[in-house]
């Protein structure tokens, strides 16, 4: 079977790697397209190293640009590359621009399309990710859902039940695999921190970092929090660029984006995480670490339902929420978040291919 796996941005690499290796175990030889949506060493190459992935077979090198320019560059490269490969199936992950572009290109070229992480909904159309995930699901022939609530969303939207496979959360496969290395790394020690004594933060969503006033307010609360508990924030390039541009100063521990094994290590040692990331909400929930999500909504409501994640809209409410939740770990269990998602996806793809079902989907 000719399978193409598509990645472009940091969270994609975490999701692609388990499937790449599971398919290899079944004797398949998946090809990897990297669009180059993320290209900094810390957001791209470091993940290939941590997950022991070979160089991508195709690199588009689109670089940073506006969302639409990025998507249009990817579309035109995808057409040529996919016409050359003639894959049986293209697998896209998550909700980034690369996901949408390769979904549109595959569908136009009548190639079977599978979406890993189907069915998540924030119901907030102002988020580019919501546009990407809803459109990708609409185009996909095979929908791999991470949880039963996401499956419900797909059914409510009228997707054919036979196209939906509830397989679990593939990010958790990576987490489970890398966890022993991350535990052993004790990366907090390198920053002079004590296990269970600090806050870990990540920030990169446009709603938080592209508005000068809001970014100032958030950084000023983190500065204030740092006087009470140490705060570590691996700065996403987008956030750093805006802080530099607007002269916003961090008093807390602001470091480069971390490679996965070090970030997971810091997460494991933290007493609480503040984030606007999608994946980090899930990882903290799996680990039972309290998480505060600085957003008005989430496409991952299961993390709130489990009681580990709390949405905080306004930076002014952050201090109180941190005080209330610091160190309050909670045991959680979500069906199918068990490290075997990539295996389940591989089995579905192989059985559809054996039955010659791709063409009839
Ligand atoms: N991550 C990382 N290093 C960092 C910050 C995040 O390895 O400095 C990992 C994190 O553990 C998760 C993924 O990157 O697996 C999430 O990516 P991101 O927050 O960029 O994307 P989102 O999940 O919001 O789409």
């Amino acid at each position: 079977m000719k399978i193409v796996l598509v990645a472009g941005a940091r969270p994609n690499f975490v999701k692609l790697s388990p499937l790449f290796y599971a398919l290899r175990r079944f004797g398949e030889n998946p090809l990897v397209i990297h669009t180059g949506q993320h290209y900094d060493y810390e957001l791209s190459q470091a993940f290939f190293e941590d997950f022991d992935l070979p160089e991508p077979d195709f690199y588009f090198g689109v670089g940073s640009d506006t969302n639409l320019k990025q998507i249009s560059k990817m579309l035109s490269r995808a057409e040529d590359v996919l016409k050359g490969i003639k894959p049986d199936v293209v697998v896209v992950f998550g909700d980034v621009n690369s996901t949408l572009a390769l979904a549109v290109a595959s569908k136009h070229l009548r190639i079977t399309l599978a979406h890993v992480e189907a069915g998540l909904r924030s119901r907030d159309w102002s988020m580019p990710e919501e546009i990407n995930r809803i459109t990708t699901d609409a185009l996909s022939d095979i929908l791999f859902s991470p949880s039963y609530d996401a499956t419900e969303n797909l059914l409510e939207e009228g997707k054919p039940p036979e196209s939906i496979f509830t397989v679990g959360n593939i990010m958790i496969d990576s987490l489970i695999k890398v966890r022993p290395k991350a535990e052993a790394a004790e990366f907090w020690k390198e920053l002079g921190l004590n296990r269970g004594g600090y806050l870990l933060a990540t920030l990169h969503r446009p709603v938080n970092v592209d508005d000068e006033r809001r970014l100032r307010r958030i950084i000023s609360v983190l500065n204030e929090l740092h006087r009470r508990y140490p705060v570590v924030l691996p700065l996403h390039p987008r956030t750093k660029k805006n802080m530099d541009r607007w002269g916003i100063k961090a008093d807390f521990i602001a470091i480069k984006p971390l490679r996965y094994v070090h970030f997971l290590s810091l997460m494991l040692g933290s007493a609480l995480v503040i984030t606007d990331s999608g994946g980090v909400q899930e990882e903290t929930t799996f680990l039972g670490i309290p998480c505060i999500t600085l957003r008005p909504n989430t496409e991952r409501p299961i993390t709130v339902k489990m009681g580990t994640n709390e949405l905080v809209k306004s930076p002014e409410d952050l201090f109180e929420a941190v005080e209330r939740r610091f160190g309050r770990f909670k045991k959680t269990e979500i069906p199918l978040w068990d490290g075997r998602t990539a295996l389940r996806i591989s089995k579905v793809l192989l059985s559809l291919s054996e039955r010659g079902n791709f063409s009839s989907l």
Side-chain angles (χ1 to χ4, degrees):
M1 178 174 35
K2 238 184 197 179
I3 309 174
V4 168
L5 307 180
V6 179
R10 176 167 68 186
N12 289 160
F13 310 127
V14 185
K15 295 166 198 173
L16 176 145
S17 142
L19 186 56
F20 178 85
Y21 279 105
L23 286 166
R24 282 265 191 116
R25 252 177 275 133
F26 283 104
E28 297 293 331
N29 194 13
L31 296 172
V32 173
I33 292 179
H34 180 347
T35 64
Q37 182 180 338
H38 280 171
Y39 49 86
D40 300 85
Y41 172 82
E42 294 86 5
L43 265 62
S44 171
Q45 185 62 29
F47 285 73
F48 279 77
E49 292 168 13
D50 273 8
F51 294 120
D52 227 354
L53 285 167
E55 288 284 303
D57 299 280
F58 300 91
Y59 184 69
F60 292 0
V62 296
S64 59
D65 213 324
T66 62
N67 286 339
L68 294 181
K69 292 216 172 70
Q70 259 185 352
I71 291 167
S72 71
K73 283 185 212 166
M74 290 176 201
L75 273 172
S76 86
R77 285 300 307 277
E79 174 167 21
D80 297 339
V81 168
L82 292 177
K83 276 183 175 165
I85 307 174
K86 297 191 183 59
D88 296 306
V89 57
V90 169
V91 184
V92 294
F93 300 83
D95 55 21
V96 300
N97 293 339
S98 312
T99 314
L100 174 70
L102 270 291
V104 173
S106 304
K107 202 64 190 167
H108 266 276
L109 298 173
R110 295 169 183 260
I111 302 165
T112 302
L113 175 67
H115 184 206
V116 175
E117 208 181 79
L120 298 186
R121 299 288 180 264
S122 68
R123 324 222 177 255
D124 176 356
W125 283 96
S126 71
M127 290 180 75
E129 295 88 349
E130 184 74 354
I131 303 171
N132 294 347
R133 58 175 89 93
I134 289 184
T135 313
T136 303
D137 284 346
L139 298 173
S140 293
D141 305 288
I142 309 170
L143 297 155
F144 289 118
S145 149
S147 52
Y148 290 105
D149 58 315
T151 302
E152 274 307 307
N153 291 337
L154 294 167
L155 290 170
E156 270 168 29
E157 289 172 13
K159 305 280 188 297
E162 61 277 16
S163 67
I164 307 170
F165 299 88
T166 312
V167 288
N169 190 329
I170 199 160
M171 268 197 144
I172 303 304
D173 288 22
S174 282
L175 189 157
I176 290 173
K177 184 165 174 231
V178 176
R179 187 176 184 166
K181 253 198 204 165
E183 287 279 6
E186 301 191 317
F187 193 68
W188 55 87
K189 285 190 179 161
E190 291 198 23
L191 301 174
L193 300 167
N194 295 320
R195 185 167 198 153
Y198 62 91
L199 298 174
L200 174 64
T202 77
L203 276 182
H204 71 284
R205 291 255 109 73
V207 64
N208 282 330
V209 307
D210 284 2
D211 178 281
E212 180 180 348
R213 227 179 113 237
R214 183 158 171 103
L215 185 59
R216 269 188 199 288
R217 282 158 68 207
I218 296 172
I219 300 297
S220 118
V221 180
L222 293 177
N223 283 340
E224 198 185 330
L225 274 166
H226 183 64
R227 288 192 274 277
R228 185 149 166 71
Y229 319 98
V231 175
V232 191
L233 175 59
L235 275 180
H236 191 281
R238 181 185 197 114
T239 313
K240 178 167 183 345
K241 192 175 106 204
N242 287 342
M243 285 174 67
D244 291 347
R245 174 155 63 130
W246 295 320
I248 304 175
K249 294 265 172 296
D251 300 337
F252 49 82
I253 309 169
I255 52 180
K256 279 186 165 194
L258 292 172
R259 56 193 318 135
Y260 184 72
V261 67
H262 288 161
F263 185 74
L264 181 56
S265 184
L266 274 193
M267 202 190 295
L268 287 163
S270 70
L272 185 141
V273 175
I274 299 172
T275 195
D276 57 14
S277 155
V280 172
Q281 294 175 59
E282 297 177 329
E283 290 164 339
T284 47
T285 291
F286 177 77
L287 295 168
I289 298 170
C291 176
I292 293 172
T293 299
L294 203 50
R295 280 175 45 187
N297 50 51
T298 178
E299 59 291 326
R300 289 147 164 108
I302 195 163
T303 58
V304 176
K305 199 171 147 210
M306 286 290 136
T308 42
N309 188 20
E310 176 174 338
L311 299 181
V312 169
K313 259 193 228 170
S314 159
E316 277 71 43
D317 298 329
L318 200 51
F319 203 101
E320 180 274 326
V322 169
E323 291 275 288
R324 193 161 29 77
R325 297 182 80 94
F326 189 87
R328 307 199 77 169
F329 304 102
K330 187 169 186 275
K331 205 169 155 23
T332 56
E333 212 170 304
I334 302 178
L336 305 172
W337 292 28
D338 59 358
R340 296 169 65 81
T341 294
L343 190 73
R344 286 189 280 269
I345 294 175
S346 303
K347 283 186 175 164
V348 171
L349 291 175
L350 289 163
S351 101
L352 286 173
S353 151
E354 270 162 27
R355 283 191 269 141
N357 260 10
F358 279 163
S359 46
S360 63
L361 276 166

